């Protein structure tokens, strides 16, 4: 893969704009579980196998109306897990790759774990397209608003996978609250929570026209194809290049694109070192892509 990684570094070094897209494979190297496939959830939590509940069923928002303590048994566990998770070194490498682009770089992720913000990415250049588990909303919802989950400390019974204690409540109507994340078959997700991010992303896309674009796709699999389609569409529209990093499925269709069958952490670190070593890479001054000064 040396030739592919060197070429990827060259393309990024020569690009005018950079779009980073990241799926579940980006979070795996931080020790977060991957529930891919029908038995993905069962492999981590056998109790769900015994109950015949797979990942798609477990994440449907209707579960909060039917049995909110059971639904929060899963999401509460994820909230605790994501709070403890630390961004792996690939996030730092990605941040260094993106910094020279300033406002000409943008990050788009389907992950709801909040690791991009924890790693130092600015919310001005980030779209969490499926929301964030660190925010809550009403299950109905009675209002199109969200609030921080910071005060909610879920305790989960490991045997039954049910929430122990009180449910989080909507401050407006008193109904049960749920995570402000977009789930399977979700018609009640408060999408307004990411409206500002979406608006900034659309404005960024409008500035990409007639400029050299590279899409750096990290750990985005075909099971959640939205990110893949978005990146592929942009590079075809603007004549850019797609760099697909995926340990399991790195195949690309177009000869001008590059597939790298490494983990996100490993590939990003190598690419960042390659970019740093390119004498021809004259990096412009950072312009607030990162929240790190």
């Amino acid at each position: 893969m040396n030739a592919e990684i060197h070429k990827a570094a060259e393309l990024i070094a020569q690009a005018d704009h950079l779009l980073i897209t990241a799926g579940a494979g980006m979070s795996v190297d931080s020790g977060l579980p991957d529930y891919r496939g029908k038995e993905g959830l069962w492999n981590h939590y056998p109790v769900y196998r015994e109950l015949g509940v797979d990942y798609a069923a477990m994440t449907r928002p209707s579960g909060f109306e039917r049995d909110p303590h059971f639904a929060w048994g899963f999401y509460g566990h994820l909230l605790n897990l994501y709070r403890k998770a630390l961004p792996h070194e690939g996030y730092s490498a990605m941040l260094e790759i993106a910094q020279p682009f300033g406002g000409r770089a943008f990050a788009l992720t389907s992950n709801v774990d909040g690791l991009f913000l924890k790693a130092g990415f600015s919310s001005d250049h980030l779209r969490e397209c499926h929301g964030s588990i660190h925010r809550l909303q009403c299950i109905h919802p009675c209002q199109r608003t969200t609030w921080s989950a910071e005060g909610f400390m879920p305790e989960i019974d490991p045997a039954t996978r049910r929430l122990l204690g009180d449910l989080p409540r909507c401050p407006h109507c008193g109904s049960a609250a749920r995570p402000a994340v977009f789930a399977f078959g979700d018609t009640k997700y408060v999408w307004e929570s990411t409206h500002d991010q979406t608006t900034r992303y659309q404005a960024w896309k409008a500035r990409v026209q007639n400029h050299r674009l590279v899409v750096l796709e990290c750990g985005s699999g075909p099971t959640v194809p939205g990110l893949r389609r978005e990146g592929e569409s942009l590079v075809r529209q603007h004549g850019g290049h797609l760099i697909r990093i995926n340990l399991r499925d790195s195949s690309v269709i177009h000869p001008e694109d590059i597939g790298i069958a490494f983990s996100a952490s490993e590939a990003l670190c190598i690419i960042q070192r390659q970019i740093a070593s390119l004498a021809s890479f004259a990096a412009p001054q950072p312009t607030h892509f990162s929240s790190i000064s």
Side-chain angles (χ1 to χ4, degrees):
M1 301 297 294
N2 288 340
E4 286 84 354
I5 287 178
H6 183 76
K7 181 62 176 176
E10 287 185 329
L11 289 174
I12 294 172
Q14 297 164 4
D16 295 319
H17 288 77
L18 176 68
L19 176 65
I20 296 165
T21 63
M26 183 67 187
S27 299
V28 168
D29 291 340
S30 286
L32 298 180
D34 179 3
Y35 301 119
R36 184 179 311 191
K38 182 177 180 179
E39 297 192 2
L41 181 67
W42 297 348
N43 292 335
H44 292 280
Y45 311 108
V47 65
Y48 289 124
R49 180 193 297 272
E50 296 172 9
L51 295 172
V53 180
D54 62 14
Y55 177 68
M58 194 65 251
T59 55
R60 288 193 180 98
S62 57
F64 286 98
E65 300 177 13
R66 184 173 56 254
D67 189 345
H69 280 84
F70 184 62
W72 266 117
F74 175 70
Y75 277 104
H77 170 74
L78 286 187
L79 178 58
N80 291 335
L81 198 64
Y82 292 170
R83 281 172 170 167
K84 296 175 184 177
L86 296 175
H88 57 73
E89 59 183 351
Y91 282 93
S92 296
M94 182 187 290
L95 195 57
E96 290 189 44
I97 291 170
Q99 276 181 324
F101 290 88
R104 294 176 292 113
F106 209 98
L108 183 65
T109 181
S110 60
N111 298 334
V112 300
D113 49 38
L115 286 182
F116 269 85
L117 292 174
K118 194 179 288 188
F121 281 78
S122 168
S123 60
D124 290 340
H125 302 276
L126 171 67
R127 183 186 175 205
E128 297 168 298
C129 55
H130 287 177
S132 171
I133 200 170
H134 303 288
R135 298 196 65 79
L136 304 178
Q137 66 165 79
C138 180
I139 61 170
H140 297 308
C142 66
Q143 295 190 27
R144 307 297 298 180
T145 58
T146 66
W147 60 94
S148 173
E150 185 176 357
F152 176 46
M153 309 299 292
E155 182 182 356
I156 311 303
D157 186 326
T160 64
R161 309 307 304 180
R162 297 179 66 85
L163 175 71
L164 299 173
D166 296 335
L167 293 165
R169 295 286 175 180
C170 172
H172 305 291
C173 71
S175 298
R178 50 162 277 195
V181 302
F182 183 75
F184 289 94
D186 202 342
T187 60
K188 297 184 177 181
Y189 168 60
V190 178
W191 58 266
E192 289 89 346
S193 63
T194 60
H195 177 264
D196 290 346
Q197 291 183 349
T198 302
T199 299
R200 287 191 289 268
Y201 176 58
Q202 295 298 333
W204 178 86
K205 282 205 298 184
R207 297 193 296 270
V208 172
Q209 295 182 10
N210 303 317
H211 293 281
R212 291 174 295 183
L213 169 69
V214 167
V215 173
L216 181 58
E217 180 192 289
C218 306
S220 179
T223 55
V224 185
L227 283 182
R228 284 196 167 199
R229 286 199 297 261
E230 177 71 4
E232 290 169 349
S233 173
L234 280 180
V235 295
R236 299 289 81 83
Q237 181 181 351
H238 299 291
H241 299 273
L242 170 69
I243 300 169
R244 172 165 287 154
I245 300 171
N246 195 299
L247 188 60
R248 298 180 181 178
D249 186 1
S250 62
S251 60
V252 294
I253 298 174
H254 298 273
E256 61 267 34
D257 297 336
I258 298 172
I260 300 174
F262 283 12
S263 70
S265 177
E266 184 178 13
L268 288 166
C269 288
I270 298 173
I271 290 173
Q272 187 276 323
R273 291 195 296 267
Q274 287 279 328
I275 292 173
S277 69
L278 291 174
S280 61
F281 186 48
Q285 291 299 312
T287 54
H288 309 296
F289 177 82
S290 167
S291 60
I292 298 175
S293 59

